Amino acid sequence: MPYCERCGKQLEDGQICSCTANQNPNLNQENIQPPPPLYNQAVYANGYNNMNDPNAPKKKSKVWPIILIIAIPLLLIALVVVGILAAIFVPAMIGYTNKSKLAAQNSYSSSISKAINTAMTELDDEGYDVYGNYFICSNEDNSFCFDSDSEDLDYSDLNDRINEYFSDSETGSWFAVYEYGTVTYVASAESWESEIVGTYPSTSSLDSPKGYGKIYYDDESLGDIYEDTLETIINSY
């Protein structure tokens, strides 16, 4: 006589034990498969969500290395081009600026000469002795008559008159040579240390017989030219 394999109950031939009669053989735990994940649903593995795990390995982006490979050479090329352009245009701009400043100082020296001639003519009309040859400076203490002992001229009054005719003469440094009743040479600059020196006449010969009718473009400041001119005048008279 058969017995139930599950509970050991004695059975009749062909009889099915009640302990297994209602059991669905498809519910065998060993045969159960989990349902597939829904579309766009995070896949779980080992009981947790990999997408939210901060320790989960991340894929490295390949975009930045490509950008750097392209950008670094372009940046180097741009720096080289900028350096070449700077080497070409910066000296040209400096030269243009210096020429512009020199032209302005030449005009300034010309205006100084006109103001001195006007002031000396006015003093002559007032009866002052202006027939000597003079070294006239923006610093009146350095002005003097270099071919006579005449003390008739008041250099402070002379500079005041020059400033009346050319008020900008107070804003720069200058000196002038006044000979034979007229200005023969003027040199001026923004300061005594400046090497951009304007002259009058601005087309004087470099072979001036007295040594001070020159145009100085560089390497000599107004102070240097002042000393050279003063030494030449003292030795000439």
Side-chain angles (χ1 to χ4, degrees):
M1 182 173 292
Y3 293 88
C4 178
E5 294 179 357
R6 294 180 61 83
C7 64
K9 180 180 178 181
Q10 187 176 2
L11 302 173
E12 296 292 336
D13 292 337
Q15 183 181 0
I16 298 174
C17 182
S18 59
C19 70
T20 59
N22 296 325
Q23 182 178 4
N24 188 349
N26 295 326
L27 297 179
N28 189 341
Q29 295 297 322
E30 295 178 356
N31 297 325
I32 295 176
Q33 298 293 332
L38 298 178
Y39 176 75
N40 203 27
Q41 180 181 7
V43 178
Y44 289 80
N46 300 326
Y48 65 89
N49 188 349
N50 285 325
M51 295 182 65
N52 296 327
D53 185 6
N55 298 321
K58 298 180 181 180
K59 292 184 178 180
K60 295 183 179 179
S61 175
K62 297 181 179 180
V63 177
W64 280 109
I66 296 175
I67 293 176
L68 292 176
I69 291 173
I70 297 173
I72 291 176
L74 291 177
L75 180 60
L76 293 176
I77 293 172
L79 290 175
V80 171
V81 172
V82 170
I84 293 173
L85 293 176
I88 295 173
F89 289 107
V90 170
M93 289 299 298
I94 293 175
Y96 175 81
T97 301
N98 288 343
K99 287 182 179 179
S100 177
K101 289 182 178 180
L102 180 61
Q105 284 302 143
N106 285 338
S107 177
Y108 183 90
S109 295
S110 177
S111 298
I112 288 289
S113 70
K114 294 175 183 178
I116 293 175
N117 282 330
T118 302
M120 295 295 276
T121 299
E122 184 179 82
L123 289 171
D124 183 37
D125 292 341
E126 294 177 5
Y128 289 93
D129 180 8
V130 295
Y131 294 103
N133 296 325
Y134 298 90
F135 184 84
I136 304 170
C137 186
S138 55
N139 182 359
E140 60 196 43
D141 293 334
N142 294 331
S143 300
F144 64 96
C145 180
F146 54 78
D147 69 338
S148 70
D149 296 330
S150 174
E151 298 294 340
D152 191 30
L153 193 61
D154 184 343
Y155 297 109
S156 176
D157 179 45
L158 173 61
N159 279 27
D160 289 340
R161 293 171 186 264
I162 294 171
N163 294 334
E164 288 180 4
Y165 296 116
F166 183 56
S167 59
D168 288 341
S169 64
E170 296 180 308
T171 62
S173 300
W174 54 269
F175 68 87
V177 179
Y178 183 86
E179 300 174 288
Y180 314 113
T182 189
V183 173
T184 58
Y185 183 68
V186 178
S188 68
E190 293 180 354
S191 67
W192 292 104
E193 293 76 22
S194 175
E195 293 183 354
I196 301 178
V197 181
T199 60
Y200 171 82
S202 59
T203 56
S204 299
S205 170
L206 293 177
D207 297 324
S208 174
K210 291 188 177 180
Y212 53 80
K214 299 181 181 181
I215 301 174
Y216 296 83
Y217 290 100
D218 52 18
D219 298 332
E220 287 193 84
S221 67
L222 179 63
D224 295 331
I225 301 170
Y226 169 88
E227 293 178 358
D228 292 343
T229 304
L230 189 59
E231 182 179 358
T232 300
I233 289 174
I234 292 174
N235 292 334
S236 299
Y237 289 87

